[in-house]
Amino acid sequence: MTLTETEWNGASPETGYAHWQTGSLKVLGAISFSHFLNDTIQSLIFAIYPLLKNNFALTFVQVGTISLVYQITASLLQPMVGFYTDRHPRPYSLAFGMGCTLCGLLVLAMAWNYDALLIAAAMVGMGSSVFHPESSRVARMASGGKYGFAQSIFQVGGNAGTAMGPLMAAWIIIPCGQHSILWFSFLAMLAIVVLINVGHWYGRRRTYKGGGSKGHQDAKSAFSRRTVTISLLILLALIFSKYFYLASITNYFTFYLMHRFHLPMQQAQYYLFTFLFAVATGTLIGGPIGDRIGRKKVIWLSILGAAPFTLALPYANLTWTGILAFAGGFTLASAFSAILVFAQELIPGKVGTISGLFFGLAFGMAGIGAAVLGKLADMYDIEFVYHICSYLPLLGVLAVFLPDIRLKKGIDD
């Protein structure tokens, strides 16, 4: 699957690119498939909220707290995992993280009270905290210099998995009950097998490249510290905008549709799937376009461009609600790959740390958003939540202040 060190160092650019197209592209496919399995499992938590709310007589605040525990567990640990693995790469940590997710899934299936639900959410969050920064590093290693494309392929696997959650809930869990979640443990086991093989490739690749990443840690940014700091703050604000809005859809869209349009639970799940499918599709497009026209333009157009759709959604009928949710999800989703690669290029040599920070912040914002929006839904109503959140994409105007980063082509560093 990989070249020896001598073959790699002596290869021409054409040979190196051909190598990427064969062996490394397979690894990119494997890590994207693992992301699909991982996020399919994780999205089940959100997709079965109506079932859990009925089974355990939960309030919206309690529903939001489940998300908060999951997201905060993931967000707090991810930067630390990324920081550590920048210095001490652990090729098989991916399989370990998936093992944590498997344990959380088993607890969720057998949960007997609200506290058990929180434990399950924390275990799944722990698995996510290990999986995302290291798998993002593998995607960059297997990119062949096409960093935006590689991150999009990696991300689309996760978003496609997230989109599958509502369908799996509608087809299997809601009709068969909470214990049917046990069937999805086989997905986690399959992912562990795939990730062990990815770990083999990761370990061999480190050996061929000299066994470490110290040279990359010493890399310097092309921008001043002030520019880097301001740019990171802008990117973090955009992450807040994107993931607070996504939290309103992922956690409460089914409740919104059931409340406003009196849809049955299963039909509401199909609308949620439509939105999440749009997110997956938009993610696939954002990275390659960023490679071609520049990531700043993609970030700006993606987040600010979603505003017309989000602003109109609270006033739409059922048909237009579905259309606007699809359009808004598609537009908004194309930003994350561009944001992540933009940040990695701002601070070169810190792939794990940057990936952990941005994935962690994304999870953290989603968790805080779920809890805050749940409180607002209890205090007022679920429609009020969508009126407030509709303004969040307007923060996309901040992207105009980001510096221009010229893409440097080449085989993976």
Side-chain angles (χ1 to χ4, degrees):
M1 185 178 291
T2 58
L3 295 174
T4 66
E5 182 179 6
T6 301
E7 290 171 330
W8 181 276
N9 291 336
S12 67
E14 293 78 10
T15 302
Y17 185 73
H19 162 64
W20 169 74
Q21 286 184 310
T22 54
S24 294
L25 190 56
K26 292 178 182 178
V27 173
L28 188 57
I31 204 69
S32 180
F33 178 63
S34 300
H35 201 186
F36 169 80
L37 296 174
N38 180 79
D39 284 22
T40 296
I41 294 167
Q42 293 181 359
S43 69
L44 291 175
I45 297 177
F46 310 111
I48 63 172
Y49 278 164
L51 178 67
L52 297 178
K53 190 174 187 295
N54 291 336
N55 287 355
F56 296 94
L58 305 179
T59 65
F60 279 118
V61 169
Q62 289 176 309
V63 171
T65 301
I66 296 173
S67 284
L68 180 63
V69 169
Y70 161 65
Q71 306 282 19
I72 291 299
T73 304
S75 65
L76 291 178
L77 292 177
Q78 284 198 49
M80 292 186 284
V81 171
F83 182 81
Y84 177 79
T85 55
D86 273 338
R87 288 157 175 75
H88 310 283
R90 293 290 183 264
Y92 298 100
S93 61
L94 290 166
F96 171 79
M98 186 59 65
C100 294
T101 298
L102 172 60
C103 292
L105 189 66
L106 296 176
V107 173
L108 179 63
M110 306 303 294
W112 55 95
N113 59 25
Y114 180 64
D115 290 340
L117 294 178
L118 296 180
I119 292 171
M123 296 178 73
V124 174
M126 187 180 300
S128 178
S129 71
V130 178
F131 177 83
H132 284 94
E134 277 298 88
S135 54
S136 181
R137 183 199 307 279
V138 171
R140 188 173 179 88
M141 289 171 64
S143 68
K146 296 178 177 293
Y147 301 129
F149 170 78
Q151 287 296 331
S152 285
I153 293 296
F154 167 64
Q155 283 296 117
V156 77
N159 287 335
T162 300
M164 286 299 296
L167 291 183
M168 296 298 100
W171 294 341
I172 300 174
I173 299 175
I174 291 175
C176 300
Q178 183 180 336
H179 292 318
S180 62
I181 296 172
L182 285 171
W183 288 105
F184 294 91
S185 62
F186 292 103
L187 297 184
M189 295 176 189
L190 174 60
I192 289 172
V193 172
V194 173
L195 290 172
I196 288 173
N197 283 280
V198 170
H200 293 334
W201 179 86
Y202 185 173
R204 291 195 301 267
R205 180 64 183 276
R206 286 186 60 239
T207 299
Y208 299 150
K209 298 290 282 184
S213 56
K214 186 179 187 307
H216 299 304
Q217 293 170 10
D218 295 336
K220 301 296 183 182
S221 174
F223 300 94
S224 68
R225 178 174 296 182
R226 181 176 181 274
T227 299
V228 170
T229 300
I230 292 174
S231 299
L232 287 177
L233 290 175
I234 291 173
L235 294 175
L236 295 178
L238 298 178
I239 289 288
F240 160 79
S241 168
K242 171 182 167 68
Y243 280 92
F244 235 73
Y245 186 79
L246 288 180
S248 74
I249 301 290
T250 304
N251 293 278
Y252 300 112
F253 197 42
T254 52
F255 295 112
Y256 173 77
L257 295 170
M258 292 162 63
H259 174 267
R260 183 171 183 194
F261 301 109
H262 309 290
L263 294 184
M265 188 185 303
Q266 284 184 304
Q267 187 175 349
Q269 295 283 3
Y270 293 135
Y271 277 84
L272 179 58
F273 165 77
T274 300
F275 171 81
L276 296 175
F277 176 79
V279 170
T281 307
T283 300
L284 183 62
I285 291 174
I289 292 179
D291 285 339
R292 288 181 174 273
I293 70 172
R295 311 192 203 288
K296 177 179 175 179
K297 293 178 181 178
V298 172
I299 294 169
W300 186 21
L301 294 174
S302 173
I303 296 181
L304 187 61
F309 308 115
T310 63
L311 289 168
L313 187 142
Y315 306 97
N317 60 25
L318 178 59
T319 299
W320 275 103
T321 294
I323 294 171
L324 291 170
F326 184 94
F330 178 89
T331 306
L332 195 61
S334 60
F336 187 77
S337 295
I339 289 174
L340 183 59
V341 177
F342 191 100
Q344 290 171 348
E345 292 173 347
L346 273 176
I347 309 178
K350 303 290 184 182
V351 174
T353 302
I354 292 298
S355 298
L357 174 64
F358 277 83
F359 276 111
L361 184 72
F363 279 73
M365 286 298 100
I368 294 171
V372 170
L373 297 177
K375 182 65 174 178
L376 289 175
D378 280 337
M379 291 175 60
Y380 301 99
D381 60 48
I382 197 67
E383 293 186 39
F384 176 79
V385 168
Y386 283 87
H387 282 279
I388 295 297
C389 290
S390 66
Y391 295 95
L392 288 172
L394 293 176
L395 286 175
V397 72
L398 294 175
V400 74
F401 299 108
L402 291 171
D404 289 314
I405 295 182
R406 302 299 177 188
L407 180 66
K408 295 181 180 180
K409 303 282 185 180
I411 300 300
D412 172 38
D413 61 358

